[in-house]
Amino acid sequence: YSCSCASGYTLNADSHACDDINECLTANGGCETTCTNSGGSYMCSCDSGYALNADGRACDDINECLTANGGCGHTCTNSDGSYTCSCGTGYTLNADNHACDDVNECDTNNGGCHANADCTNTAGSHSCACSSGYAGDGVTTCDDIDECLSGNGGCETTCTNIDGSYTCSCDSGYVLNADSHACD
């Protein structure tokens, strides 16, 4: 009589039993990366960021950016076996390296706004507007408005322009009332 073994096994030395052939020992079983032998067969597997191709032996790069933008908040860039996230202007990558957080431009140098301007942070940007009592573009100019030129600033008697504002005063013998414009 003669014995034979199923595919993936070979007759042992006494020719009566079958031993598992470890295909992974010979040329890594034809696997491009990891070969795992198990009970008469073997399996190829890939590192993270790769998937087995149709022949089941070679690994192809997975483009993580094709699925939900790789989880990136803004821009996903695929690379060999991995991917990176980046953010647009006015945003910074947060600690998880996927989401983008708004940068508060107003926290640094008043956002580049003029010294007499108010900086307002907006999503991905900011805006500049001259403070009360000033006029201009908020970035390069914010000039003092002379409120006394228009209707005496609303003062009953004397209007005095000051940087960014004005004051009212009364003639001798009179005092400013609670509205700070009329004299009593």
Side-chain angles (χ1 to χ4, degrees):
Y1 74 97
S2 73
C3 295
S4 63
C5 298
S7 176
Y9 294 89
T10 186
L11 281 174
N12 67 5
D14 69 6
S15 296
H16 289 91
C18 295
D19 292 331
D20 184 11
I21 299 172
N22 188 345
E23 288 91 347
C24 294
L25 295 177
T26 307
N28 200 35
C31 296
E32 187 176 276
T33 59
T34 305
C35 180
T36 307
N37 193 67
S38 173
S41 66
Y42 68 99
M43 181 175 78
C44 299
S45 59
C46 299
D47 295 334
S48 176
Y50 296 91
L52 284 174
N53 68 6
D55 74 7
R57 295 180 187 272
C59 297
D60 292 334
D61 175 54
I62 296 171
N63 186 345
E64 295 87 353
C65 298
L66 295 178
T67 306
N69 200 29
C72 295
H74 283 209
T75 304
C76 182
T77 305
N78 190 58
S79 59
D80 194 25
S82 189
Y83 68 102
T84 56
C85 298
S86 58
C87 301
T89 302
Y91 294 89
T92 186
L93 205 57
N94 71 8
D96 74 1
N97 289 325
H98 286 90
C100 296
D101 293 332
D102 179 51
V103 172
N104 186 344
E105 294 86 357
C106 297
D107 285 346
T108 305
N109 297 324
N110 199 34
C113 298
H114 191 275
N116 294 324
D118 298 318
C119 182
T120 303
N121 191 57
T122 59
S125 189
H126 70 289
S127 64
C128 302
C130 292
S131 302
S132 177
Y134 296 91
D137 65 12
V139 178
T140 58
T141 61
C142 277
D143 299 319
D144 178 52
I145 297 171
D146 188 348
E147 295 86 356
C148 297
L149 295 178
S150 175
N152 199 34
C155 299
E156 186 175 327
T157 56
T158 306
C159 180
T160 305
N161 188 59
I162 58 174
D163 194 31
S165 190
Y166 66 99
T167 60
C168 296
S169 59
C170 299
D171 292 336
S172 180
Y174 293 89
V175 294
L176 280 174
N177 69 13
D179 72 3
S180 298
H181 288 87
C183 296
D184 292 332

